[in-house]
Amino acid sequence: MTSVLDHHPDCDWHFDQFPRDCWCGAITMPQPFEAFRRRKLAEVNAAYAEYLAKGFPTAPFEGEPEPETLQCRHDTDRTNWISLQIACFATRDAGLEGELIPAPGIRCTSNRMYRITYGDALARLWVLFDQANAAQANFWRLKDAVRDCPTRQALNDIDLSEGWP
């Protein structure tokens, strides 16, 4: 269904196809299509931030009945995980993957701390990075879909809840 804002009734001109005045000469005040595109891109960014804020599921820790999530809501978290991965590679290469990570260990989204081995941490980080890569690929897919939309209706049809790992 089109509205007065995106469709001129006298000439059937759709402003979201080429946002300017109608060819029939009517003076129009359409809302530019790019404003709708920017709003949808902001919604995509918010959906990605919300997904990251929930954390990434990880296997239950020994002695814990409930699974945890690894926090990745901002750059500091991501930097910490990358630093831990580098340490895990170094200890693995030195044959020390069975050593415990120094205190305080790793902190999960629940703020609980766990002391695990470097080998266990590396296995969890591989899963985290696989999930993070899938989430980022979906983020990029959604942004590309928004940029490629030819109409407002096509923008509205993009489901921001689909495609997350």
Side-chain angles (χ1 to χ4, degrees):
M1 182 168 131
T2 56
S3 72
V4 176
L5 289 176
D6 67 1
H7 179 262
H8 192 269
D10 293 339
C11 63
D12 201 34
W13 182 259
H14 291 267
F15 299 120
D16 60 356
Q17 294 170 350
F18 195 70
R20 58 175 72 179
D21 291 344
C22 291
W23 62 268
C24 71
I27 297 173
T28 60
M29 300 285 290
Q31 189 166 6
F33 179 64
E34 285 307 310
F36 293 108
R37 188 184 310 273
R38 283 191 303 273
R39 184 178 311 137
K40 192 67 167 192
L41 283 171
E43 291 173 11
V44 170
N45 289 335
Y48 184 54
E50 180 181 328
Y51 180 82
L52 292 178
K54 288 189 254 179
F56 291 89
T58 188
F61 289 90
E62 188 175 322
E64 297 293 326
E66 296 296 318
E68 282 275 9
T69 55
L70 301 178
Q71 186 168 292
C72 271
R73 70 175 179 253
H74 48 68
D75 290 340
T76 303
D77 293 329
R78 291 185 283 277
T79 300
N80 289 340
W81 293 126
I82 291 168
S83 298
L84 177 58
Q85 183 187 35
I86 292 167
C88 289
F89 285 145
T91 57
R92 181 195 64 193
D93 293 347
L96 302 171
E97 64 270 7
E99 297 291 319
L100 286 177
I101 293 174
I106 64 169
R107 181 184 299 256
C108 291
T109 308
S110 67
N111 286 326
R112 295 176 69 181
M113 305 291 284
Y114 296 96
R115 295 274 315 274
I116 58 176
T117 67
Y118 284 103
D120 186 19
L122 186 57
R124 290 170 191 274
L125 289 174
W126 280 123
V127 173
L128 177 135
F129 289 126
D130 286 345
Q131 293 170 354
N133 286 336
Q136 188 168 36
N138 190 55
F139 174 56
W140 289 340
R141 180 191 65 79
L142 289 169
K143 287 177 74 169
D144 291 344
V146 169
R147 288 187 181 112
D148 293 341
C149 276
T151 65
R152 285 175 46 193
Q153 184 58 50
L155 281 177
N156 291 336
D157 291 343
I158 295 174
D159 185 351
L160 300 181
S161 66
E162 288 185 359
W164 301 106

